[in-house]
Amino acid sequence: MLDNPKVNIKIKLAALWTSVMFCYLYADFFGLFSPGQLATMNRGLIPPLGAATDGVMIFVSAMMAVPSLMVFLSIALPARPNRALNALAGAVYAAIISITMWAGALFIFFGIIEIALTLLAVYYAWTWPRAALDSAD
């Protein structure tokens, strides 16, 4: 019989956000192999956002920084704000992915996985375990 220890909810959430980040990275990396993608990047364009201006680059960077920070915040924050932030971020990023994943089969494939992972973060946050009340109190 194998031991199957209970995993802390914070570890589960951090692992989910880590998995989401790997999917983002792999999708973007493999997307570079699409014909014409590197030529488009060399022209300084980010479809569908347009020119890679400082503002656009900061916006895109901020969009990717939040899930990256969620890995740490899922471990570091106390339960109540952690639960709320994971539920909110998971829902927001599931929505963002569902809007942005339609650039081809590769992005749809990864998008489905990313939506499942972010919605799982919402589920875990929503069903966050409650502390048992001590009957001696």
Side-chain angles (χ1 to χ4, degrees):
M1 188 72 111
L2 297 176
D3 185 24
N4 190 24
K6 187 173 181 176
V7 177
N8 184 290
I9 186 71
K10 290 182 170 191
I11 302 298
K12 289 179 183 180
L13 289 166
L16 282 168
W17 287 108
T18 302
S19 296
V20 168
M21 290 304 306
F22 275 115
C23 286
Y24 288 165
L25 289 170
Y26 278 118
D28 288 344
F29 176 76
F30 292 137
L32 294 175
F33 290 92
S34 297
Q37 182 62 34
L38 291 176
T40 300
M41 290 173 58
N42 285 335
R43 289 194 311 273
L45 299 175
I46 303 176
L49 301 175
T53 64
D54 285 346
V56 168
M57 296 304 291
I58 289 171
F59 172 76
V60 172
S61 296
M63 292 289 296
M64 290 299 96
V66 171
S68 299
L69 292 171
M70 288 304 296
V71 175
F72 169 73
L73 294 175
S74 294
I75 300 290
L77 287 177
R80 191 174 303 266
N82 198 334
R83 178 180 189 235
L85 186 58
N86 269 283
L88 177 65
V92 167
Y93 277 82
I96 289 169
I97 296 160
S98 68
I99 293 168
T100 60
M101 65 188 232
W102 305 106
L106 171 75
F107 293 103
I108 293 170
F109 171 78
F110 276 107
I112 291 167
I113 297 168
E114 293 160 6
I115 290 169
L117 292 169
T118 52
L119 289 179
L120 195 53
V122 172
Y123 170 78
Y124 279 130
W126 190 265
T127 60
W128 193 287
R130 302 282 181 188
L133 296 176
D134 188 354
S135 59
D137 286 341

